[in-house]
Amino acid sequence: MTKRNSIFYLVLAALIMPAIISCDSKERLYIYNWTYYTPDSVIAQFEEEYNVRVIYDEFASNEDMYAKLLSSSRKGMFGWLSRLFGRQYDVVFPSKDYVPLMLRQGMLEKIDKSKMTNLGNIDPKVLERATYDPDMDYAVPYFYGAAGVLVNTARVPNYEQSWSIFAREDLRGRMTMLDDMREVMGGALSFLGYSVNTHDISEIESARDLINNSWKPNLVKFDAEAFGKGYANGEFWVVHGYPEAIYEEIADLPQMLEDTKFFIPKEGGPSYIDSMVILSGSNNTDLAHKFIDFIHRPEIYAQFADEFGLPATVNVPARQLKTGIAFYSEEELEATELVEDLGDILDIYSNAWFNSIRAGD
């Protein structure tokens, strides 16, 4: 195909696509969120109440989310193509350490709090921890929680609630850890007695070596997407991950539900605050504000927490409306440490992760 023909077809696509989209007159809200993080029932209720259509895409890690958004924000032909054939997202769910990064890049729209009626439901203690934006000028907290370790006790009846489980050679080929730099390295740093946000290069290198020499040889893979399915079908017996992802996959497997135990390691580990933000360039900021406010209705937030077996960590009145169990408590989070923006030292972590731990995978 010649360059002239290529340009012709690109222009033709740009002209045709709006016509195709206009066949459905409903407003659209484009959401980019973590896997297993907003119940389908909540999305359906929002669509029905506001007579809109939600287009919901998922990501498996902050790194993946940020890279995708950054590529679509670039100028020039590559960025134009990304915007044309990709999504122009309205609401995104970054973690605590990525909000400042996205702010520095000019990627976030300021929140108009006059359009919100439910922000008063958010726990002030969570806002105190949200040091990157305690006044919610750009980010509204969604959930405060932590990953941990899930064990199939029918296969692994004896274990210590410690990160050291990943050093067990008898479980080699039956374990996975998240494909997430801050989660895995944060676990190793906590096990060694260091801060998950350390700037000490020797401590970062010690965590890298622990993962490479003691944990990684026993893992099937680093996986942030399919570990739930692998656990549900019995391929994996021990997984590092988010409990909601596992319990969603085994909801219809009563024996596995009984055999599955989740723990936050005794040494602690990284915790997170995920927030809802509106991207600069959003095509529907009014609807984005409505969605964020909808999430923080107490009955909606309680529904979200019950669906995934989570504590209502962010929305205070929702705690009284919860009817289901939670797989961990607010008290268990006290042993964890919130992941912070690392600034320039992020390059040291990235080098350890991508050029050593993940090299060759």
Side-chain angles (χ1 to χ4, degrees), residues 70 122 157 167-169 173 188 227 250 256 290-291 302 317 337 342:
L70 201 59
I122 296 173
R168 284 182 53 172
E169 295 182 4
F227 65 90
I250 63 176
M256 186 163 277
K290 289 175 182 175
F291 179 81
E337 184 182 4
L342 294 168

Side-chain angles (χ1 to χ4, degrees), residues 190-221:
S190 295
F191 179 75
L192 294 169
Y194 306 139
S195 167
V196 302
N197 302 302
T198 183
H199 283 216
D200 188 308
I201 294 175
S202 65
E203 293 178 355
I204 298 169
E205 291 175 344
S206 294
R208 175 202 64 198
D209 293 343
L210 172 66
I211 296 165
N212 276 336
N213 300 330
S214 186
W215 295 358
K216 184 177 175 181
N218 300 322
L219 304 179
V220 178
K221 57 183 174 178

Side-chain angles (χ1 to χ4, degrees), residues 266-326:
K266 64 182 182 180
E267 301 90 359
S271 54
Y272 57 85
I273 296 176
D274 290 333
S275 294
M276 296 176 283
V277 302
I278 302 174
L279 288 186
S280 295
S282 163
N283 291 320
N284 205 332
T285 57
D286 284 342
L287 197 57
H289 280 86
K290 289 175 182 175
F291 179 81
I292 294 171
D293 204 45
F294 179 82
I295 289 295
H296 276 298
R297 291 183 190 173
E299 66 275 16
I300 295 298
Y301 198 89
Q303 183 178 336
F304 147 65
D306 279 339
E307 176 80 15
F308 295 128
L310 297 171
T313 53
V314 171
N315 189 299
V316 175
R319 295 169 191 168
Q320 305 305 314
L321 300 177
K322 267 182 60 62
T323 58
I325 63 170

Side-chain angles (χ1 to χ4, degrees), residues 66 96-107 341 346:
Y66 179 69
K96 183 178 188 287
D97 53 322
Y98 269 76
V99 173
L101 184 59
M102 295 170 77
L103 269 172
R104 290 197 296 269
Q105 295 282 348
M107 298 170 72
D341 177 25
L346 178 63

Side-chain angles (χ1 to χ4, degrees), residues 126-143:
V126 173
L127 291 175
E128 287 176 10
R129 291 173 172 265
T131 53
Y132 52 93
D133 188 14
D135 296 322
M136 298 184 286
D137 291 327
Y138 292 91
V140 175
Y142 179 69
F143 188 68

